[in-house]
Each structure stands twice: as structure tokens, then as C-alpha cells.
Amino acid sequence: GCSLMSTNRTHTLCKCFHLTGFSTLMDFHDYAGESRPLEITSIVCSMASAISLAITFTVLTILRSIKTDRTIITQHLCIFLMISHILALTTLENIINFYYYQVTCAAMGATLHFCLLVSFMWMGIEGVRLCRMVIYVFNLYNWTLYYILAANIVPFIIVG
């Protein structure tokens, strides 16, 4: 995990012992990549996650018999989480190469930010959908279009 080293009115200094996204973002001293086994483990696990998400999306797309708003939400969540994993793999490994290309780095960061916000929105929408299923048992109105609009427009406004 991460631990607090020192703090004052303007700065907080943390020391992290892992290569998750938070510690990589907080790495001001280029410590990322010093532990090769952890780096390889992070890459392999992220690749396995992206492949699993692609398989899940493919299965949900092929099986038309289970086409409900729940599967649509899961498909969208899989797409944006998979894009996030792919962007993280391509960006974090080549951060030195992107250092001089600030526009490319900013575009990758904004895209990653957007994809993660959309993923969080889809998770929240799934929670809202489950809550609505409990409260309104016989709900005949289809909210899928509103879910899609909310999950994409709100993150676009935040990132844009």
C-alpha cells in the first residue's frame, strides 16, 4: 500500500510499495519499473483482464437470447474497461517516449480519464437499475437509451 511520509499546507508526500495505477500516477521520482517482477506481473494481469473483458463482450454479443438492459450495461462496461486496460498498457510502458510529445500524452490521459469515468458511470447505472428493479417490480418502461446517454455525456462534460 501507500503510507504518508510528510505533509504541510501545500504538499503531501506519500511512499507507495506497489505498481497499481494510483502509485504510478503518484510516482514523481521514476521509481516505477525498478521491480521487474512486479512490473511483469502488472502487465500480465492487465493483459489477462483485457482479454477476459473481450471474451465477455463477445459472448454477450453472440448470445442474442439474453439481450436485456443488464447485458447492454455489462457490454458497455466491458468495452470501456478493456479500452482503459489497453491504454494503460500502451501508455505506462512508453511514458518516456511520450514525455516529449505533450499533445499525445495529454490526449492519451484525457482518453483514459474519459474511459474510466464512463466505466464508473456504468457501474453506478447498474446500481440504479438494480434499485429500480427492487422498488418498481413491474416497471414496463425501458430506460436503456437514458442509461447510454447519461453514461457517455456526463464523463464527456467532465473531461471536456
Side-chain angles (χ1 to χ4, degrees):
C2 294
S3 60
L4 179 67
M5 298 301 292
S6 66
T7 185
N8 62 25
R9 285 184 171 192
T10 60
H11 294 84
T12 300
L13 179 63
C14 298
K15 185 174 184 180
C16 299
F17 301 100
H18 50 79
L19 291 175
T20 61
F22 177 72
S23 66
T24 304
L25 290 173
M26 298 300 295
D27 182 17
F28 296 111
H29 304 289
D30 294 329
Y31 291 133
E34 284 187 5
S35 177
R36 194 70 178 150
L38 285 177
E39 186 176 350
I40 291 171
T41 304
S42 296
I43 292 169
V44 168
C45 290
S46 191
M47 287 172 50
S49 294
I51 291 168
S52 299
L53 288 165
I55 292 170
T56 303
F57 175 77
T58 304
V59 168
L60 290 174
T61 303
I62 291 172
L63 297 177
R64 294 281 181 192
S65 61
I66 59 170
K67 199 63 150 181
T68 63
D69 58 343
R70 186 182 74 202
T71 57
I72 292 170
I73 291 171
T74 306
Q75 283 177 316
H76 283 89
L77 181 61
C78 286
I79 288 170
F80 285 102
L81 284 175
M82 184 178 56
I83 292 170
S84 299
H85 278 287
I86 292 169
L87 282 174
L89 281 170
T90 57
T91 305
L92 295 178
E93 281 301 305
N94 299 316
I95 198 74
I96 297 169
N97 297 336
F98 288 144
Y99 181 73
Y100 295 108
Y101 304 104
Q102 291 181 356
V103 173
T104 305
C105 187
M108 293 292 262
T111 306
L112 184 60
H113 188 202
F114 175 76
C115 289
L116 289 173
L117 283 175
V118 170
S119 299
F120 291 139
M121 284 294 295
W122 279 116
M123 290 177 212
I125 286 171
E126 177 64 16
V128 168
R129 190 191 71 80
L130 288 172
C131 184
R132 290 185 58 79
M133 281 178 49
V134 170
I135 294 172
Y136 306 111
V137 178
F138 298 108
N139 185 14
L140 300 176
Y141 191 74
N142 188 357
W143 289 81
T144 306
L145 178 64
Y146 297 109
Y147 293 157
I148 292 171
L149 290 174
N152 292 305
I153 291 174
V154 171
F156 184 76
I157 291 170
I158 292 171
V159 173

